[in-house]
Amino acid sequence: VIYWTVFAGCWFLLPVLQDFCDAGEFSVKNRVIKGIKVNAFIYLIVGFIGAIVLIVLAVKGDFEDTSVSGFIMAVSYCWGLGLIIILLGYGLVQVPKALWHAGRCSENLRYTQFRVAQLEEKLNTAKFDLDDIVKAVLVICKDPAASHSYSRETELLIAKCPLDVLNQYEGQSLAYIRRDVMEEIGG
């Protein structure tokens, strides 16, 4: 019982939960559907190969309950051993290499200073992108003529925006923000 529970969790539950966490959907239902859709292709391939093996077993006359469960266990073990070989081989090289590089302080300082400059540039780009998105969402939220079905989602986006960015547009009129957004999108 424990083996099959872990098997089902590793092959079905874990991949769906990974894609559930990565999904950008707003509702739980849509995130679950997205996780299942992403994994459906892999499930189809595995199911197709499994069906071919079952057909081969049936044609040969070796079709028994133990042969099917044995095949599933063998596929599971091969997958696990393959992952262990790949990851352990990489780890045997990478761990001593990382420890060797960690001991070189001057090189680490130079690399860290280089990374700080890159990250600062990414931070500034992200701030400008956030500013553009907040302006666009404020145009949608403040427009009384817009009767859209995404009002709950836009309110959720506004609730998650940093207060200092929202306060930046507090006193500005909707016309000014709309004009600014239209200039940026070229409309």
Side-chain angles (χ1 to χ4, degrees):
V1 174
I2 294 173
Y3 175 81
W4 291 110
T5 305
V6 171
F7 180 85
C10 289
W11 278 88
F12 301 108
L13 187 63
L14 184 62
V16 171
L17 286 176
Q18 286 174 332
D19 290 318
F20 173 84
C21 291
D22 291 339
E25 306 293 329
F26 283 103
S27 68
V28 174
K29 177 185 168 190
N30 290 342
R31 293 174 91 181
V32 170
I33 291 171
K34 178 81 170 183
I36 291 172
K37 282 183 181 179
V38 168
N39 288 294
F41 184 70
I42 296 169
Y43 295 151
L44 286 174
I45 291 173
V46 171
F48 181 72
I49 292 171
I52 289 174
V53 169
L54 288 177
I55 291 170
V56 168
L57 288 175
V59 168
K60 286 178 61 176
D62 294 337
F63 188 74
E64 298 175 6
D65 291 341
T66 56
S67 62
V68 173
S69 64
F71 169 72
I72 293 173
M73 292 170 97
V75 168
S76 174
Y77 287 142
C78 288
W79 177 260
L81 286 174
L83 283 178
I84 287 173
I85 289 169
I86 290 169
L87 296 177
L88 188 59
Y90 178 75
L92 283 176
V93 173
Q94 201 59 24
V95 169
K97 188 176 173 184
L99 291 173
W100 177 264
H101 289 300
R104 299 174 10 200
C105 295
S106 62
E107 303 248 346
N108 284 339
L109 178 63
R110 248 188 322 199
Y111 178 72
T112 304
Q113 289 170 341
F114 173 71
R115 288 285 298 153
V116 165
Q118 284 182 331
L119 292 175
E120 185 178 16
E121 184 177 327
K122 283 185 180 181
L123 175 66
N124 289 334
T125 304
K127 283 181 181 178
F128 288 128
D129 291 345
L130 175 66
D131 195 40
D132 294 342
I133 291 170
V134 167
K135 283 191 267 186
V137 170
L138 283 174
V139 166
I140 293 171
C141 283
K142 290 183 177 181
D143 192 1
S147 58
H148 49 80
S149 61
Y150 297 111
S151 62
R152 193 186 80 170
E153 283 82 5
T154 53
E155 289 172 5
L156 178 66
L157 289 173
I158 290 294
K160 291 189 181 244
C161 286
L163 288 176
D164 59 334
V165 176
L166 290 175
N167 291 338
Q168 180 180 352
Y169 298 106
E170 186 78 27
Q172 295 179 0
S173 69
L174 180 61
Y176 174 77
I177 297 173
R178 179 179 285 138
R179 182 181 51 114
D180 198 19
V181 170
M182 295 307 275
E183 286 174 2
E184 287 177 11
I185 62 173

